[in-house]
Amino acid sequence: MKPITENQKTKIAFFSTQSYDKIFFEKYNSDFNFALTFLEAQLNSKTVALLQGETVICVFVNDIVDAAVIELLAKKNIKIIALRCAGFNNVDLDAAKKFGIHVCRVPSYSPEAVAEHAMAMILTLNRKTHKAYNRVREQNFSLNGLLGFDLHGKTIGVIGTGNIGKAFAKIVKGFGCNILAYDINIDPEMQKEGVVFTDLSAIFKQAEIISLHCPLNEQTKHLIDKEALSMMKNNVMIINTSRGALINTSDIIDTLKDGKVGYLGIDVYEQEEKLFFRDLSDNIIQDDEIQRLMSFPNVLVTAHQAFFTNEALTQIALTTLGNIESLLSKNDIDNKLALLA
Ligand code: NAD
C-alpha cells in the first residue's frame, strides 16, 4: 500500500472504540499512515460534535447512522462512513447517497469465526459445559441435570446461506447432521454437498436446531415470532448470531415460559445497543426483557462476540483501511460487496 504523504494525512475518527480496535487498527495503519482518532462514544446526533476536522468516520454495529446523523455528518464535511463490520442495518444508505457520502463495509472477514461461535453455543446449550464447569469447582461431580443429546443425525435448519451460513453448514455436516436451508438465493454448490433448500415453514416444522444467518432488513425483522414459533417442534433449539431483531423478543420469552423452546442461544439482542460492549456490572439494568432472558436456565447470552477472533480483527482492520484508501484514491472499491453507497 502506498502511504499517503504526511501533509495529506487523511483524518479518521473511530466511534464506539474498544481497546482491541485501537490495538489492531494502530498495528495495521502502519501500512496506510492515516491519522486515527479513537473515540469511546457511540455515534449519535449528539456525539457528531466530537468530530474535529476528520473527513472519514469508522463505525461499528450499534452506532446510530440514521438520516438525522448523516445530515449532521455532511455538515461536518464527512466524505466516507467506513463500517468495521459486515451488517449495515444501522445505516440509512438513501440518506448517505443524498448527501454524497460513501459508505463501505467489510463484507467478509472471518465467516468461520461467527459460524464456530454458533456451534460453540449449540454445544454449550446441549452438553451444559457452562454448568459442569461451575459444578465441579464446587466439588459436585453429579451428572443430574446435564443430560444432552447426540447432534449426529439431527436436522439443522440454516436460515441465510451466505458466507457465515455456508461455513456453519460445513461445520454441522462434520457432526453428521441433516441440513435444511432457506435463502432467497439457492446455492447449487451447497445442494451438491447434500444441503436441502426448502421454505421457511418446512424448516420451522422439521428442524431440531435452527440457526439464523441472514441479514436484518424489512423482510427478516421478527422472522422468529409467535406464528413461526408455533410451527416449531417442541424442545427446539434456536441460535441467533446474526442480528437481535430477527427474533421478536417478547414472543420468544412467552414461548420459553411455556416450555416449547428447549434452548435459546443469542449472541445478539434486539435492544443490545444500550447494553453490549460495556461493563455494566455496577449498574441497575433497566431492560426487563434481557433480565428475563438471562434468568432462564436454558438460555445462553453472549454479548456480540461471535466475530471476536484474532483472524477476524486482523481482516477487519486491513479491509476497512484498504476500503478507505481505495475510495480516497479512485472513488471506488474493487470488491463491489464492500461499497454500499
Ligand atoms: P452474507 O451477505 O454473506 O449472507 C447473507 C445471506 O442471507 C445471503 O445469502 C442472502 O441471500 C441471505 N438473505 C438475504 N435476505 C434474506 C431473507 N429475507 N431470507 C433469507 N435469507 C436472506 O452475510 P454473512 O457474512 O453471512 O453475515 C450474515 C449476518 O451475520 C450479517 O448480516 C450480520 O448481521 C451477522 N453478523 C454477525 C456477527 C457477530 O459477531 N455476531 C458478525 C458478522 C456478521
Side-chain angles (χ1 to χ4, degrees):
M1 293 291 165
K2 268 222 173 301
I4 289 172
T5 53
E6 203 62 24
N7 58 354
Q8 293 176 317
K9 259 188 182 184
T10 297
K11 292 168 82 179
I12 308 174
F14 285 67
F15 284 90
S16 301
T17 310
Q18 300 286 342
S19 53
Y20 45 82
D21 293 317
K22 200 163 178 276
I23 292 167
F24 278 83
F25 275 93
E26 276 180 342
K27 178 171 175 193
Y28 293 105
N29 187 45
S30 56
D31 290 348
F32 295 87
N33 203 23
F34 294 125
L36 310 183
T37 302
F38 294 100
L39 303 166
E40 281 180 24
Q42 180 198 48
L43 176 65
N44 58 42
S45 52
K46 290 196 182 94
T47 57
V48 174
L50 296 171
L51 289 170
Q52 292 190 321
E54 291 88 356
T55 50
V56 180
I57 61 162
C58 183
V59 297
F60 197 49
V61 292
N62 291 327
D63 285 304
I64 296 167
V65 203
D66 59 14
V69 169
I70 287 173
E71 187 170 355
L72 294 170
L73 291 172
K75 284 186 186 145
K76 287 273 189 183
N77 204 28
I78 293 297
K79 303 289 181 216
I80 299 171
I81 299 170
L83 289 145
R84 53 181 188 278
C85 53
F88 53 90
N89 50 286
N90 53 334
V91 184
D92 188 326
L93 294 179
D94 290 336
K97 282 177 198 149
K98 181 176 153 197
F99 288 101
I101 298 179
H102 277 306
V103 180
C104 57
R105 63 166 179 150
V106 187
S108 177
Y109 39 91
S110 171
E112 287 76 20
V114 183
E116 287 169 16
H117 189 77
M119 181 44 90
M121 296 194 103
I122 292 173
L123 291 171
T124 306
L125 283 164
N126 175 17
R127 305 305 293 266
K128 303 169 182 67
T129 41
H130 56 313
K131 293 186 184 177
Y133 173 83
N134 285 326
R135 203 180 265 200
V136 295
R137 289 165 74 91
E138 300 279 333
Q139 301 173 38
N140 175 354
F141 302 107
S142 142
L143 299 184
N144 290 327
L146 299 183
L147 189 66
F149 60 85
D150 286 6
L151 284 174
H152 188 267
K154 295 294 183 295
T155 299
I156 315 264
V158 182
I159 299 180
T161 53
N163 293 310
I164 296 169
K166 233 188 291 268
F168 176 75
K170 270 190 200 148
I171 293 171
V172 292
K173 191 167 177 249
F175 276 79
C177 302
N178 308 310
I179 307 170
L180 296 178
Y182 171 74
D183 193 298
I184 48 173
N185 300 309
I186 289 175
D187 186 322
E189 290 303 311
M190 289 179 75
Q191 282 180 312
K192 274 190 222 152
E193 297 289 321
V195 174
V196 176
F197 278 81
T198 183
D199 56 24
L200 277 176
S201 64
I203 291 184
F204 295 155
K205 286 179 192 153
Q206 293 172 41
E208 272 109 7
I209 299 175
I210 296 173
S211 195
L212 306 177
H213 300 290
C214 57
L216 173 63
N217 55 37
E218 273 168 28
Q219 288 76 49
T220 59
K221 185 170 181 200
H222 290 177
L223 186 85
I224 305 297
D225 61 3
K226 202 177 286 183
E227 199 192 334
L229 289 159
S230 72
M231 285 188 244
M232 292 180 194
K233 287 192 165 191
N234 283 335
N235 226 21
V236 64
M237 182 189 291
I238 300 171
I239 303 293
N240 187 9
T241 55
S242 201
R243 283 293 179 268
L246 295 180
I247 297 180
N248 180 319
T249 308
S250 63
D251 287 358
I252 201 131
I253 288 173
D254 288 344
T255 325
L256 281 158
K257 276 161 84 174
D258 68 27
K260 167 139 191 173
V261 170
Y263 315 79
L264 174 68
I266 53 170
D267 184 53
V268 286
Y269 167 61
E270 224 178 338
Q271 282 92 38
E272 70 174 49
E273 66 273 8
K274 294 199 183 89
L275 302 167
F276 287 7
F277 307 114
R278 298 178 179 92
D279 178 358
L280 301 176
S281 45
D282 286 335
N283 293 54
I284 308 291
I285 303 285
Q286 299 298 330
D287 183 329
D288 292 345
E289 287 196 321
I290 193 80
Q291 293 292 53
R292 186 67 183 100
L293 281 173
M294 291 189 302
S295 74
F296 291 105
N298 51 350
V299 173
L300 176 64
V301 181
T302 54
H304 210 134
Q305 72 173 78
F307 73 100
F308 199 54
T309 67
N310 192 33
E311 291 77 0
L313 291 193
T314 300
Q315 209 47 52
I316 286 171
L318 284 170
T319 306
T320 304
L321 295 169
N323 284 345
I324 295 168
E325 184 177 76
S326 182
L327 281 171
L328 290 171
S329 60
K330 54 181 187 182
N331 219 20
D332 200 3
I333 301 176
D334 291 341
N335 181 354
K336 295 298 162 221
L337 292 174
L339 188 58
L340 300 170

